[in-house]
Amino acid sequence: MLRLYLLYALSGFLSLGYQVAWFRIFVDSFGSTNITFAFVIANFIGGLGAGSLASRRLVQRLAELVRVRDPLRLYGLLELGVGATVLATLLVPLLPADLWTGAAYVPAGDIHRPPLLWHLAQLAISTLVVFVPCFLMGITFPLLCEARRDQARFPAGLYAWNTFGACVGVLASEIVLLAMLGHTRMLVVLAAANLALGAFFWFAPSAWRGLRTARAGPAALARSTTAAATRPATQPLYAASVLFLGATLSGFLTGAFEADVLRRLQFVDCRTAAALSCISFWCILAIALASATVRALPRLALRHVQIAAVAAFLVYVAVWHFAYRLRDWVDAADRLRVQAALPPMPQGLSVSYQFFNLGYGVWPVLWFTGLFVLPPFYLLSLFLPHLCNAAHAERRHLGLVYGVNTLAFCAGLLAFTTVAPRVNVFYAMRLFLGLFALAVLVLVALRPRDRHVGRKAGLAALLLLALAWMTPRGFAPGYFAPGDPAAALPVRAMKSNGAHTTYVVADPAGDVLYFDSHPMSGCNAPAQQYMRLMAHFPLLAHERPAAALLIGFGVGNTASAILLHETIERLDVVDLNHQVFATASEFAPVNRNAHADPRVRLVHDDGRRFLRLTPHAYDLITSEPPPPMLPGVSRLYSVEYYRDARACLTPGGLITQWLPIDQMPLPAMRAALAAFVQVFPDSLLFVGQSTNYILMGSNRPLQLATVESRWLESPQVREDLAPFGVRGVVPLLARITKIGPGMVREFAKDVAIRDPHNDLSRMFHDPAAPPVLTYDPTAVLAHLTPPGARPLACRDELASTVLHLGRLVSMVPDFPESALMSVRHTGGTQVALAHIDWHTVARRIEASERALAAGDTRVALEHLQQVLEMAPEYPAIALQTAALLSRTQQWEAALVVWRRLQAMDPSDPVAACGAAVAHFRLGRRDEALAMLEVQAQRHPQAADVQRLHGDVLAASERWSAALAAYERALRADPDDQASAAGRARCLERVQR
């Protein structure tokens, strides 16, 4: 008996391994869409249920066809069929991307979508590839139960072993087999094991001599034998309608439960790619333990499983009530590890850091998900094995009970992954709790020989409809953690596509677009900066860009930046969530209604599939996907993705890719960089905003001299980047941290992200090994112009900037401090201020900003002056210090700092003007006027210099000279209201 249990556990292992492989293979072929997921899950679970329902007749006909009376040999034949039909999956990647549907996309309003025929073809293929083997799997459980008709509790034991094998299969496939083999080879290995399992049962009948039933005719395999029928029942007799309703309710509830718990866990920051596998593991383990419990307790009665259902509801409500406390409890050890790994800070300073909930290993994720899944799911799962044992003891065929339960599970899962969420995610979660309570009430109301089952079922259906109608559809701030902006700030424009609910949170720093519980994109200054740079930099590096492709619309920042380039004639925007297009107008002040531009085509599809279908070639492909560590996103950072993109580039075309290294473990960061440089060896890496880096590559050597020439020709681009401190080509090029051969040498030999291996799902943060990208300014300068390229006119100015870290961070204030710290180990001997502790500098600047916000200028100045003691040649901090001293009228001290700033950069008019003002306030008008006269002559187009000169002349009552200065200021800037007001005062004085 144990041998049979173990081999059926292997069958469960294989079946869940197939599911893991199918999800990934179908996503690669059909795109990572909600429809792809729905088709796979519906055919997988639906096939199991349909096979179970048809088991009796099909086994009888199969036995007659092959003339075999032994159920175990028939089981072997079915397993052979499973292994053989699974191999049809290998044909799916060979199918054409358009599946013979003609047009790749058809217009639907303002958006282009795949045609209906495409989805029908996808459904047909998934049915052939997934449904057929799963249908054969579904036959096996009722068939094997026929092998031991004399044991009343055999179904529960067999089901326990099968589901135990399945839960092991989920984790083994996700963590071990995918990593070793990739999804295609893993599927082949699993199919080979399936064929071996089937062959063993078919060709070794003597191994089961003690288990085989009497050799009866084929028809006897589909009904109880006469001898077995005379044995006394060991369980209460159930009416068929009770079995049917109980199996249906139990299946629907557990399926809906699995969908609901996945969504709820996202709201407590359990968003890692490993979470789905962990949830499946606990759900299947709960079924295995429940089946084992039913097998071990022969006196378990209906009232016991009804009490368990009530307890399941109460436990589920309780654990979610304490969800955030449980998360913090599980995270406590990781938080201590992170804090211990932080660099030491001087007294009074605390290092800032980002903590990732449940992001430091698979075991915290596993245990955390287990807290929410295992107890309630175990209690719910007692119902099915109890019903199976009862039906088995009453000599009923198990195909009906098991099949109905499985189909109901599929319906519940789909209802709460695709149907209810179409209203919105908050509605779906509220509705599930109501459904849970209603289903438990109905289960508790059942009696073994209930004569009113039909009435109770009808009443339950009416109550469910009323519940669906009455459940609130509005936003639910109570689902968020305390302090989350979505819980405290106004929310608008809530929409749902079934897969995600999107809405806009009105953050004072800039509106934010949320997907479910996650802030996906926004229009605050840091987000706008890197999103605009990832469009402007590559487009400036192209001689005449005409066509661009944007994968991932977000709030439209990148799209609006692309459209500012006058040469752009076509922009295709592809997004998996069409609701972001519907929400685009909410961000019109920053995206300038880019979605409505006549040059733009909006496409609702998976970006990977679009690249395989588009007939167009692009001068720029820019990719702005969700954060890379979220489930499924690694496909937009893989070697295969970049190969698809390279095939769609024009000669000299460019690609940019967002790389938020602060959100990635070190191995994930290196794997992403390796994937990019393996496909685009002609590449560079630049700072988009702090640790939001941007990868830029081309199919030809990069020509950065083109950036210089096109910068001067692009006034709209200059105006767009000016608010973010990028006011010249040198501040733009100074953001480059790695380039060309250096990137290839450093990363190309690393293990890269590949589609078949789902790499990022197994990577977690390590506090002792943070993701840091080193910076060697000398190496960057050495490779700026490849052989044969035009030299940079600004090279000397750029070199003087990047070889002096004080000037660099003054020009690029968001340059990552970890990169600055690495210079001492790369090109430190040639770089000024490479020895500085930039972590401490950054903390003191933050402390100064906090003190200034609190109105404590004394403390703010103390921190700034300490920074200047550490980094005497730090122009930006010298400027802040001098300005703050001037604001507090500490003129002598301010003059000292203004002079220091002048010494750092004698050509800087700001320092000279600041020193002139200090002289003026100290009563030295002649010195002040002399300095301002020089600056006014040197910078005739600087309106602020001319205006300041006029102010000092007016204060000295030199009205005519002041009037001339104000008029020069207005010629430089006609909209300068302060100069206009000064000119009016001077005119009045002159005319008196």
Side-chain angles (χ1 to χ4, degrees):
M1 184 71 71
L2 180 60
R3 191 188 317 161
L4 179 61
Y5 283 156
L6 288 173
L7 290 175
Y8 202 50
L10 174 61
S11 178
F13 180 102
L14 297 174
S15 65
L16 265 293
Y18 292 144
Q19 186 187 59
V20 170
W22 277 327
F23 275 134
R24 285 153 183 82
I25 291 172
F26 273 73
V27 162
D28 282 351
S29 299
F30 300 130
S32 183
T33 67
N34 209 32
I35 292 178
T36 301
F37 170 81
F39 282 172
V40 173
I41 199 69
N43 280 292
F44 182 84
I45 303 176
L48 293 175
S52 181
L53 286 175
S55 177
R56 169 177 285 187
R57 292 185 179 179
L58 286 178
V59 166
Q60 181 178 350
R61 292 182 180 178
L62 183 63
E64 292 172 350
L65 180 65
V66 299
R67 298 184 180 182
V68 170
R69 294 173 293 176
D70 189 339
L72 296 177
R73 291 196 70 197
L74 291 174
Y75 169 71
L77 188 61
L78 289 170
E79 290 289 2
L80 286 170
V82 171
T85 54
V86 160
L87 292 174
T89 308
L90 301 178
L91 300 175
V92 173
L94 305 178
L95 296 171
D98 59 359
L99 291 181
W100 313 284
T101 55
Y105 300 100
V106 294
D110 296 330
I111 302 174
H112 289 72
R113 291 187 170 94
L116 177 60
L117 186 58
W118 154 259
H119 295 303
L120 294 176
Q122 183 182 355
L123 175 60
I125 292 168
S126 59
T127 300
L128 289 173
V129 173
V130 179
F131 183 87
V132 172
C134 291
F135 181 84
L136 298 176
M137 292 179 204
I139 300 173
T140 60
F141 179 68
L143 172 61
L144 285 179
C145 288
E146 288 295 305
R148 293 314 303 255
R149 292 187 295 268
D150 56 334
Q151 289 196 3
R153 291 179 289 148
F154 178 76
L158 186 66
Y159 197 48
W161 280 92
N162 179 259
T163 49
F164 178 76
C167 74
V168 174
V170 167
L171 288 188
S173 299
E174 188 71 52
I175 296 174
V176 180
L177 296 180
L178 272 179
M180 293 174 56
L181 304 172
H183 52 52
T184 301
R185 284 187 290 177
M186 180 181 81
L187 183 129
V188 172
V189 169
L190 295 176
N194 220 142
L195 292 171
L197 176 66
F200 181 75
F201 275 89
W202 177 257
F203 293 110
S206 59
W208 310 102
R209 194 176 306 279
L211 286 175
R212 285 179 294 153
T213 56
R215 291 185 178 274
L221 293 173
R223 65 179 186 271
S224 303
T225 61
T226 304
T230 61
R231 295 181 62 85
T234 59
Q235 296 288 342
L237 295 177
Y238 283 85
S241 57
V242 174
L243 290 173
F244 181 85
L245 181 59
T248 302
L249 278 176
S250 173
F252 190 86
L253 185 55
T254 50
F257 179 104
E258 190 164 348
D260 183 75
V261 76
L262 177 61
R263 291 189 181 276
R264 288 178 187 272
L265 284 167
Q266 295 176 7
F267 279 81
V268 287
D269 297 328
C270 187
R271 299 190 186 97
T272 71
L276 179 59
S277 295
C278 291
I279 292 169
S280 297
F281 169 81
W282 288 116
C283 286
I284 302 170
L285 181 61
I287 295 171
L289 293 175
S291 300
T293 301
V294 173
R295 172 75 175 80
L297 300 176
R299 294 189 178 182
L300 194 72
L302 177 62
R303 65 179 181 277
H304 299 132
V305 294
Q306 289 172 329
I307 293 171
V310 175
F313 176 76
L314 297 176
V315 168
Y316 196 62
V317 171
V319 292
W320 284 112
H321 180 73
F322 297 103
Y324 289 105
R325 297 182 191 177
L326 290 171
R327 183 199 66 187
D328 294 341
W329 174 65
V330 172
D331 271 340
D334 284 337
R335 194 175 293 275
L336 291 175
R337 286 174 55 216
V338 172
Q339 291 172 347
L342 295 174
M345 285 287 114
Q347 187 175 5
L349 295 181
S350 58
V351 62
S352 59
Y353 66 95
Q354 183 177 8
F355 183 80
F356 297 92
N357 291 298
L358 306 167
Y360 297 88
V362 69
W363 295 115
V365 178
L366 186 63
W367 291 121
F368 184 69
T369 53
L371 293 173
F372 295 90
V373 176
L374 183 62
F377 207 83
Y378 163 78
L379 293 169
L380 285 177
S381 299
L382 292 169
F383 220 94
L384 178 63
H386 172 75
L387 293 178
C388 287
N389 277 1
H392 191 69
E394 296 170 20
R395 319 303 172 238
R396 300 177 189 268
H397 194 273
L398 290 186
L400 177 65
V401 174
Y402 180 66
V404 165
N405 179 268
T406 305
L407 291 176
F409 180 94
C410 181
L413 185 63
L414 292 176
F416 282 86
T417 54
T418 60
V419 181
R422 282 201 170 272
V423 178
N424 60 65
V425 65
F426 308 104
Y427 171 83
M429 291 190 292
R430 288 170 172 139
L431 180 62
F432 173 74
L433 286 180
L435 168 71
F436 202 159
L438 178 60
V440 167
L441 288 175
V442 175
L443 290 174
V444 168
L446 288 179
R447 297 294 178 268
R449 307 294 295 177
D450 203 325
R451 297 181 180 179
H452 305 291
V453 171
R455 295 180 185 176
K456 292 178 179 178
L459 179 60
L462 290 175
L463 289 174
L464 180 58
L465 290 174
L467 183 66
W469 178 259
M470 297 173 63
T471 298
R473 290 164 167 76
F475 184 77
Y479 283 118
F480 292 86
D484 192 298
L489 298 173
V491 170
R492 67 181 190 274
M494 188 164 64
K495 305 177 187 299
S496 181
N497 69 343
H500 297 287
T501 296
T502 61
Y503 48 93
V504 181
V505 175
D507 194 307
D511 290 346
V512 180
L513 178 66
Y514 271 65
F515 277 31
D516 297 331
S517 62
H518 184 70
M520 194 63 71
S521 186
C523 57
N524 55 47
Q528 283 202 62
Q529 177 178 310
Y530 79 78
M531 291 177 191
R532 294 185 181 281
L533 278 169
M534 71 188 297
H536 288 315
F537 200 142
L539 289 172
L540 290 172
H542 195 284
E543 290 287 353
R544 188 175 176 82
L549 169 63
L550 170 60
I551 298 178
F553 183 75
V555 301
N557 290 326
T558 308
S560 67
I562 292 171
L563 295 171
L564 285 176
H565 293 256
E566 295 179 352
T567 59
I568 291 294
E569 300 171 359
R570 177 191 185 92
L571 172 60
D572 287 339
V573 182
V574 184
D575 205 295
L576 198 58
N577 187 347
H578 69 279
Q579 295 295 5
V580 298
F581 300 139
T583 314
S585 59
E586 298 290 330
F587 301 93
V590 295
N591 67 27
R592 307 181 186 95
N593 285 315
H595 61 290
D597 191 290
R599 294 172 288 174
V600 172
R601 181 176 68 144
L602 305 176
V603 180
H604 174 215
D605 198 10
D606 177 83
R608 291 288 301 276
R609 179 173 177 268
F610 180 88
L611 287 172
R612 291 196 293 269
L613 284 172
T614 182
H616 303 290
Y618 298 94
D619 301 309
L620 170 66
I621 297 175
T622 183
S623 181
E624 193 183 318
M629 302 309 294
L630 291 183
V633 181
S634 67
R635 296 178 63 253
L636 294 178
Y637 287 85
S638 68
V639 169
E640 291 79 5
Y641 168 62
Y642 295 129
R643 286 175 180 167
D644 290 344
R646 187 180 179 110
C648 294
L649 287 176
T650 59
L654 297 109
I655 179 174
T656 52
Q657 171 79 63
W658 177 47
L659 189 71
I661 68 165
D662 62 325
Q663 302 184 43
M664 306 173 72
L666 179 61
M669 179 197 78
R670 294 193 65 90
L673 283 158
F676 193 84
V677 299
Q678 286 176 15
V679 180
F680 292 100
D682 293 302
S683 58
L684 61 79
L685 183 75
F686 68 91
V687 176
Q689 193 280 324
S690 185
T691 51
N692 290 294
Y693 284 85
I694 308 297
L695 282 159
M696 187 169 96
S698 177
N699 50 25
R700 290 184 177 177
L702 295 168
Q703 302 289 334
L704 294 181
T706 306
V707 177
E708 274 188 312
S709 57
R710 294 211 57 238
W711 176 268
L712 298 175
E713 301 166 0
S714 309
Q716 288 182 305
V717 174
R718 297 199 302 270
E719 183 181 351
D720 196 46
L721 289 177
F724 310 109
V726 185
R727 295 185 173 88
V729 71
V730 172
L732 180 61
L733 296 178
R735 292 180 168 274
I736 299 173
T737 61
K738 294 184 184 295
I739 189 168
M743 289 187 67
V744 173
R745 185 168 52 252
E746 186 173 356
F747 301 111
K749 294 182 179 179
D750 280 22
V751 176
I753 298 173
R754 302 300 297 266
D755 282 350
H757 296 275
N758 198 32
D759 304 271
L760 299 189
S761 67
R762 295 177 297 278
M763 295 181 183
F764 292 87
H765 298 274
D766 181 358
V772 174
L773 281 169
T774 59
Y775 177 49
D776 182 354
T778 57
V780 171
L781 289 172
H783 295 106
L784 277 177
T785 52
R790 284 183 293 145
L792 284 169
C794 66
R795 192 185 190 286
D796 291 342
E797 183 183 353
L798 180 62
S800 68
T801 299
V802 301
L803 294 177
H804 189 296
L805 299 189
R807 295 174 190 160
L808 175 62
V809 293
S810 295
M811 189 171 285
V812 187
D814 56 301
F815 206 95
E817 62 198 61
S818 58
L820 297 171
M821 291 288 290
S822 72
V823 175
R824 66 183 69 181
H825 305 296
T826 55
T829 57
Q830 303 178 46
V831 182
L833 301 190
H835 63 285
I836 299 299
D837 182 353
W838 290 100
H839 289 313
T840 301
V841 167
R843 301 295 84 74
R844 290 220 176 269
I845 294 173
E846 290 174 359
S848 174
E849 291 171 350
R850 288 194 300 271
L852 200 58
D856 194 338
T857 55
R858 181 186 62 80
V859 173
L861 275 169
E862 286 177 359
H863 284 295
L864 291 176
Q865 288 165 343
Q866 286 174 323
V867 171
L868 282 179
E869 289 176 7
M870 298 173 64
E873 297 179 345
Y874 191 162
I877 297 304
L879 178 61
Q880 290 181 38
T881 305
L884 190 54
L885 287 168
S886 298
R887 189 193 311 172
T888 54
Q889 299 185 10
Q890 300 179 57
W891 298 111
E892 287 288 2
L895 183 58
V896 171
V897 183
W898 285 123
R899 285 173 174 167
R900 177 189 293 187
L901 194 57
Q902 278 184 285
M904 294 182 203
D905 186 0
S907 65
D908 182 10
V910 175
C913 290
V917 171
H919 277 299
F920 179 79
R921 294 295 185 179
L922 290 169
R924 305 166 190 162
R925 293 189 177 184
D926 292 341
E927 289 94 329
L929 285 170
M931 295 178 70
L932 288 172
E933 184 69 31
V934 171
Q935 295 303 315
Q937 291 176 4
R938 287 179 178 174
H939 306 282
Q941 299 303 315
D944 52 349
V945 174
Q946 303 297 337
R947 182 180 64 250
L948 181 59
H949 190 201
D951 290 341
V952 174
L953 287 168
S956 303
E957 298 186 355
R958 297 172 59 178
W959 305 111
S960 297
L963 178 62
Y966 285 131
E967 288 177 342
R968 289 194 298 271
L970 286 169
R971 283 197 296 271
D973 182 4
D975 296 326
D976 186 353
Q977 298 299 319
S979 295
R983 178 180 180 277
R985 289 195 304 271
C986 289
L987 276 174
E988 182 181 350
R989 291 284 187 172
V990 169
Q991 292 171 356
R992 283 183 179 180

